[in-house]
């Protein structure tokens, strides 16, 4: 990636256009956070409801005080510990920040990503003083992109995206951890979305373990029950059950695409991922997209262990599978082609 491309992307953003760029988590679809029309263009391109807030990405030198108000000391401590990196903080929004970026809520989501291309772009954009609003660069509800090609696959037929910066494969592979600090005094820190930075790692910095979302917690589209989903139905099963399911589906002439991490018999299509949470997260979205391309009746996923280290991965898999409840049963009770 040369500096000329970065500068061109920064100028496009300043002109109100959309630029897709790599981050260490997933690719983002960026727009000038202080330009409500540009932010509206993100919603239009993604097909996303207008009341869903987007994350504002900042350069490391940016001032939190410009974007947020009533900033608790905990936010400064977390920024110090984890930025640049895969942590998003929800804070009270400063009065000068347009409410388009927060879907009308009085908060703002802020994050400083660590990918070198993202950092270079954020430093070039408005002299490092701007904010780039960027949700994941995919259609609403679909799997987040971890390669530039994924972004092109989603948007290239439309002309809505001016540039796609290619920074290779996103290293973390699942979206940032989101912690809500906007209601610290009344609700404490709240973990809105699990990710690579664990609740325990956050607790080690601020001495308080983020709680699970309560009923009054801010809305977050990445926390919708059905999200991160490929077009093919997804079912998640533990190994012992999955082995039997595979047999039964094969006997019923069903096509199975498999995402797994232990030894399993051959099937229509399969991708084996590393048996570590980091390795599995890194490869998961590309695997879902690849398995989605095989015309299978179902994507079966070998359920990872239920421990804390796998929380982010299990969260994404559960949401990917949410709309497919009963799919295996349905496939076994109907003949193919009927
Ligand atoms: O890793 C990531 O966070 C990626 C990269 C591109 O940075 N971005 C990402 O954006 O995943 P998106 O829009 O797909 O998911 C952002 C989540 C959404 O669930 C959104 O609702 C929530 O963050 N969010 C953003 N601002 C918020 C706010 N003010 N209050 C509550 N939730 C917020
Ligand atoms: Mg998203």
């Amino acid at each position: 990636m040369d500096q000329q491309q970065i500068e061109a992307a920064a100028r496009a953003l300043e002109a109100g256009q959309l630029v897709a760029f790599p981050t260490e988590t997933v690719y983002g679809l960026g727009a000038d956070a202080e330009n409500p029309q540009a932010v509206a263009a993100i919603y239009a391109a993604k097909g996303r409801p207008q009341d869903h807030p987007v994350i504002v990405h900042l350069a490391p030198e940016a001032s939190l005080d410009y974007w947020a108000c009533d900033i608790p000391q905990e936010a400064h401590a977390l920024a110090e510990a984890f930025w640049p990196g895969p942590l998003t903080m929800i804070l009270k929004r400063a009065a000068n920040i347009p409410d388009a970026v927060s879907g009308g809520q009085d908060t703002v989501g802020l994050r400083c990503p660590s990918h070198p291309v993202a950092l270079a772009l954020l430093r070039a954009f408005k002299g490092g003083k701007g904010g780039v609003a960027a949700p994941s660069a995919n259609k609403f509800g679909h799997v987040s992109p971890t390669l530039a090609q994924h972004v092109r696959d989603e948007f290239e037929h439309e002309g809505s995206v001016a540039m796609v910066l290619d920074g290779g494969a996103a290293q973390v592979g699942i979206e940032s951890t989101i912690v809500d600090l906007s209601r610290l005094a009344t609700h404490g820190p709240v973990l809105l979305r699990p990710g690579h930075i664990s609740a325990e790692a956050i607790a080690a910095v601020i001495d308080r373990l983020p709680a699970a979302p309560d009923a009054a917690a801010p809305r977050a589209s990445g926390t919708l029950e059905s999200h991160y989903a490929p077009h093919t139905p997804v079912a998640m099963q533990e190994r012992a059950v999955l082995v039997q399911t595979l047999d039964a589906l094969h006997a019923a002439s069903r096509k199975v695409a498999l995402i797994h991490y232990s030894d399993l018999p051959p099937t229509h299509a399969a991708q084996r991922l590393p048996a570590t949470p980091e390795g599995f997260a890194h490869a998961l979205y590309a695997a879902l997209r690849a398995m989605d391309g095989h015309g299978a009746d179902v994507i079966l996923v070998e359920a990872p262990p239920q421990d804390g280290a796998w929380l982010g991965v299990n969260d994404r898999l559960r949401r990917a599978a949410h709309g497919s409840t009963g799919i295996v049963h349905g496939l076994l009770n109907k003949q193919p082609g009927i």
Side-chain angles (χ1 to χ4, degrees), residues 21-29 46 48 51-57 86 88-91 101-103 105-111 113 134-138 144 174-178 180 182 192-193 217-224 227-228:
F21 63 97
T23 84
E24 74 279 21
T25 57
V26 301
Y27 276 70
L29 183 59
K46 278 188 65 104
R48 185 187 215 188
D51 63 348
H52 286 265
V54 288
I55 295 172
V56 177
H57 297 69
T88 297
M89 298 191 289
I90 308 300
L91 298 170
V101 290
S102 52
Q105 304 188 49
D106 61 357
T107 55
V108 62
L110 299 174
R111 141 167 148 85
S136 50
N138 52 276
S144 297
I174 57 171
E175 302 77 2
S176 60
T177 303
I178 304 181
D180 177 23
S182 69
L192 295 184
R193 182 172 71 183
R219 299 182 309 264
S221 61
T223 61
L224 292 179
H227 212 71
Y228 311 115

Side-chain angles (χ1 to χ4, degrees), residues 200-223:
E200 289 73 21
I202 290 171
V205 175
I206 62 171
D207 277 336
R208 293 170 81 173
L209 191 66
D214 51 282
R219 299 182 309 264
S221 61
T223 61

Side-chain angles (χ1 to χ4, degrees), residues 213-275:
D214 51 282
R219 299 182 309 264
S221 61
T223 61
L224 292 179
E225 281 307 314
S226 177
H227 212 71
Y228 311 115
H231 303 290
T232 311
V234 175
M236 189 164 49
Q237 295 186 340
E238 278 167 27
R239 190 176 191 287
V241 181
L242 192 141
V243 170
Q244 294 174 13
T245 301
L246 271 178
D247 269 352
L249 286 169
H250 288 157
S253 303
R254 296 299 186 176
K255 286 186 190 164
V256 178
L258 183 65
I259 294 176
H260 63 118
Y261 59 91
S262 69
D263 277 326
L264 284 167
T267 179
H268 177 65
Q271 194 158 339
R272 184 168 183 163
L273 306 189

Side-chain angles (χ1 to χ4, degrees), residues 149-210:
Q149 189 55 47
H150 296 160
V151 183
R152 295 187 204 109
D153 291 345
E154 298 259 348
F155 296 104
E156 73 178 348
H157 311 292
E158 304 180 4
S160 52
V161 180
M163 281 178 83
V164 179
L165 296 178
D166 191 339
Q171 205 208 328
V172 174
I174 57 171
E175 302 77 2
S176 60
T177 303
I178 304 181
V179 63
D180 177 23
L181 300 174
S182 69
R183 304 173 302 149
L184 202 59
T186 49
H187 292 75
V190 174
L191 188 70
L192 295 184
R193 182 172 71 183
H196 181 68
I197 293 176
S198 65
E200 289 73 21
I202 290 171
V205 175
I206 62 171
D207 277 336
R208 293 170 81 173
L209 191 66

Side-chain angles (χ1 to χ4, degrees), residues 8 20-21 29 32 38 53 71 81 94 131 141 160 228-229 233 253 271 278 294 310 323 325 328:
F21 63 97
L29 183 59
D32 179 352
I71 303 171
S160 52
Y228 311 115
S253 303
Q271 194 158 339
E278 293 79 17
H294 285 285
W310 288 87
T325 317
V328 169

